[in-house]
Amino acid sequence: RGSSDPSIAEYNVRSIGWYSTVLVAKDTKPVTVPNGMFLSQSVINVTRQTHRVLVLNFRVRYEDRTHVPALIEDFEQYLTESESIDSDAHPIRVNVTANNADHLVLNVEAHAYKVDLTLHYKVRSKVLMDLMDLVEGRTGRVAYPTEVFLEHPLLSEGHHASANIIPFSGAAVQRGGAR
């Protein structure tokens, strides 16, 4: 890992010889690479990795913004108490990182202990679902993407159908309400 050359990035090492190295991708196709290539490339040995970083983003509706400080505390407490998260060696970060048109973005960063990838995905899924439960417990529901449609008062029944939709702030406005 770590190569800027997309032809050999994200491969696993099958064997290392005197003159070449055999790499294998997820599709199991072996690629033989001259060892000289590694002299000018950075190589990351993920087998020596001690943790996997979890980065999760949650949408919080503006009408639920008063719950954000409590959500941050709930998230930090949950992650600190989780047996899958190493909160002693690495900080847990929970912050509001963006304000979008219809929601705030709550960013969560934590380091999970390194386990095989299949188990890691299970840990990640459990943490994600548990944090969503905390959001629903505080706010009643998670924020979903929304789109607002406005009715233009100047449109009348006699206008052509293509004139009934008016662009508005990146969305469309349709005569007669939401579409």
Side-chain angles (χ1 to χ4, degrees):
R1 267 193 178 175
S3 172
S4 60
D5 182 356
S7 64
I8 65 166
E10 304 296 325
Y11 280 66
N12 291 318
V13 176
R14 178 184 286 171
S15 63
I16 300 173
W18 283 102
Y19 302 104
S20 63
T21 298
V22 178
L23 304 174
V24 181
K26 287 184 181 182
D27 64 1
T28 69
K29 292 179 186 173
V31 176
T32 303
V33 179
N35 287 341
M37 179 177 245
F38 297 109
L39 295 175
S40 62
Q41 300 288 325
S42 63
V43 177
I44 299 171
N45 185 350
V46 295
T47 62
R48 294 186 182 175
Q49 178 180 357
T50 59
H51 295 79
R52 295 187 190 270
V53 180
L54 294 176
V55 179
L56 307 169
N57 289 304
F58 291 88
R59 299 163 76 98
V60 178
R61 300 174 305 152
Y62 278 114
E63 51 266 29
D64 295 328
R65 70 185 175 281
T66 58
H67 297 286
V68 168
L71 279 172
I72 290 173
E73 287 180 21
D74 290 349
F75 283 14
E76 289 173 344
Q77 180 181 353
Y78 168 82
L79 293 167
T80 301
E81 294 173 359
S82 173
E83 294 179 6
S84 302
I85 304 297
D86 185 1
S87 60
D88 295 327
H90 300 280
I92 292 170
R93 294 186 176 97
V94 183
N95 301 294
V96 176
T97 56
N99 58 320
N100 293 327
D102 60 343
H103 66 277
L104 298 169
V105 176
L106 197 58
N107 177 266
V108 177
E109 292 182 23
H111 287 74
Y113 291 105
K114 184 175 183 238
V115 291
D116 70 80
L117 195 57
T118 302
L119 183 56
H120 171 72
Y121 285 137
K122 289 179 181 179
V123 167
R124 180 183 175 87
S125 296
K126 179 176 179 6
V127 168
L128 180 61
M129 298 307 289
D130 289 346
L131 293 179
M132 284 179 68
D133 288 344
L134 291 173
V135 171
E136 287 178 345
R138 285 274 177 197
T139 66
R141 64 181 182 163
V142 295
Y144 296 102
T146 60
E147 194 169 354
V148 176
F149 296 96
L150 303 174
E151 184 173 339
H152 195 283
L154 298 178
L155 292 177
S156 66
E157 293 295 327
H159 283 84
H160 187 269
S162 64
N164 290 340
I165 299 177
I166 302 167
F168 178 77
S169 299
V173 178
Q174 180 178 0
R175 192 180 152 285
R179 48 178 185 174

